[in-house]
Amino acid sequence: MDLIIHQSMLPHEDADASLAFYRDTLGFELQNDVEYGGMHWLTLGPPGQPDSAIVLYPVAATPGLTDQERRTIGDMMAKGTFASINLATKDLDATFEKVQAGDAEVVQEPTDQPYGIRDCSVRDPAGNLIRIKQLD
């Protein structure tokens, strides 16, 4: 079997704010922007890695959700407990400084964890938790 993780999905509520965060703060490249009915599905990934991307999707477009479920997801996003993703970098401290300068909500500054990794975490404009790990 030859599987790769090609795309991960994260919800957004404001396409412009999310695009600015992932493109301007994290340095990702916009690979695709699909608009339908005034909503946007944004595909972004690290430069030079066309086979690895995050798709930011509008929660309002998720089929099959009831109004109550949409409200629950909105409440969880506001608390930052709905979705997350783990990223990695060769220089965690420099990456953290850049992300922090980009006005991201800092959840945790770079920390040596007792389980053997060094990481930090921030929230994107939709409240998604972004953990960034130091690569060895």
Side-chain angles (χ1 to χ4, degrees), residues 11-13 36 39 41 57-79 81-82 126:
H12 78 77
E13 293 180 326
Y36 179 78
M39 297 181 284
W41 285 254
Y57 68 95
V59 173
T62 303
L65 292 179
T66 65
D67 289 342
Q68 177 58 43
E69 290 167 333
R70 281 189 176 80
R71 282 191 297 274
T72 299
I73 291 171
D75 291 346
M76 292 179 72
M77 288 173 65
K79 291 173 48 180
T81 58
F82 183 70

Side-chain angles (χ1 to χ4, degrees), residues 14-122:
D14 181 332
D16 291 335
S18 293
L19 176 60
F21 176 79
Y22 285 92
R23 183 192 58 206
D24 303 337
T25 301
L26 294 183
F28 285 5
E29 293 177 338
L30 180 63
Q31 297 174 352
N32 200 8
D33 179 354
V34 175
E35 187 273 337
Y36 179 78
M39 297 181 284
H40 288 262
W41 285 254
L42 304 168
T43 304
L44 297 110
Q49 298 180 34
D51 292 329
S52 178
I54 297 170
V55 178
L56 302 170
Y57 68 95
V59 173
T62 303
L65 292 179
T66 65
D67 289 342
Q68 177 58 43
E69 290 167 333
R70 281 189 176 80
R71 282 191 297 274
T72 299
I73 291 171
D75 291 346
M76 292 179 72
M77 288 173 65
K79 291 173 48 180
T81 58
F82 183 70
S84 64
I85 191 164
N86 294 347
L87 305 175
T89 180
K90 293 179 181 174
D91 189 343
L92 179 64
D93 293 316
T95 299
F96 177 75
E97 286 182 26
K98 182 178 179 192
V99 171
Q100 188 176 33
D103 206 23
E105 177 189 346
V106 174
V107 177
Q108 173 205 303
E109 294 188 2
T111 302
D112 293 317
Q113 301 291 353
Y115 41 89
I117 67 168
R118 180 171 171 77
D119 68 354
C120 68
S121 58
V122 298

